[in-house]
Amino acid sequence: MANQDYVLLMARYNMWQNENLIKAASGLDQAARQAERGAFFGSIEKTFSHLLWGDGIWLSRFEGRDPPASYKTESTALIESWDGFQQDRATLDRQILDWARAVPPEWFEGDLTWYSGLSGSTASRPKKMLAVQLFNHQTHHRGQIHAMLTAAGARPDATDIQAIPDRFLEM
């Protein structure tokens, strides 16, 4: 189950894979990134937006603070410009990594309770489970992005965790 070693490895993997997929997506024009591709959220950009939103929501819950005001909008509507998104994603990835470095072992004990907009009610689950949820959700939707990028002719680099470059493991 989740502990600090797990979240630190996954935060590093998250950063690497976001850079990987953003680099591949940056080789496409805006129309290609915004094209409807039949995925759950439709387009490459909308799926990236949903990931940014979801990561920001979970991190704010983990840190016991409100999410950014812009996150009150639809999860697929956070990207106003591709350059701005890249900066926002890099900033959030750094925040996730900083959280993973600093999270004390006792944080993983007990439950986290929050208001779920999805269900419209208060929810509570074990923190260990929710830490796994953060990273599992990322991997799920990045898989969709990878498939859409490949179908659009872009070629992301490796995604297997054992291929993570040393520079990320040293972060």
Side-chain angles (χ1 to χ4, degrees):
M1 204 37 111
N3 60 25
Q4 187 180 24
D5 290 337
Y6 170 80
V7 298
L8 190 52
L9 174 61
M10 293 308 293
R12 290 168 172 158
Y13 178 77
N14 168 63
M15 185 176 280
W16 171 47
Q17 283 306 301
N18 285 332
E19 286 184 16
N20 176 25
L21 295 183
I22 288 169
K23 178 182 171 189
S26 293
L28 301 174
D29 64 21
Q30 182 176 353
R33 287 192 304 269
Q34 294 177 344
E36 171 59 47
R37 298 188 179 276
F40 188 82
F41 292 107
S43 72
I44 292 166
E45 273 196 21
K46 285 182 178 180
T47 307
F48 269 124
S49 177
H50 174 75
L51 268 175
L52 182 71
W53 178 86
D55 289 354
I57 293 289
W58 280 114
L59 185 60
S60 68
R61 290 172 181 161
F62 292 172
E63 294 181 333
R65 59 176 173 78
D66 289 333
S70 62
Y71 283 43
K72 305 269 189 234
T73 185
E74 175 65 33
S75 75
T76 59
L78 291 180
I79 299 177
E80 294 180 13
S81 76
W82 188 246
D83 288 341
F85 161 70
Q86 290 178 75
Q87 293 172 359
D88 292 346
R89 183 73 257 183
T91 297
L92 183 55
D93 287 345
R94 176 59 65 182
Q95 291 170 339
I96 292 169
L97 181 59
D98 290 346
W99 170 80
R101 280 193 189 117
V103 66
E106 59 272 11
W107 181 89
F108 295 94
E109 301 306 319
D111 292 347
L112 179 71
T113 301
W114 74 97
Y115 177 79
S116 170
L118 183 63
S119 68
S121 63
T122 299
S124 186
R125 292 287 183 263
K127 289 178 183 177
K128 288 180 180 182
M129 176 194 294
L130 297 176
V132 172
Q133 164 59 22
L134 169 69
F135 298 110
N136 185 67
H137 181 256
Q138 294 168 345
T139 299
H140 166 69
H141 288 301
R142 279 196 302 258
Q144 293 171 331
I145 292 169
H146 191 287
M148 288 186 281
L149 287 169
T150 301
R155 295 289 178 247
D157 291 334
T159 60
D160 294 329
I161 201 163
Q162 78 275 4
I164 190 170
D166 287 343
R167 72 181 179 93
F168 289 94
L169 293 175
E170 296 162 358
M171 296 179 130

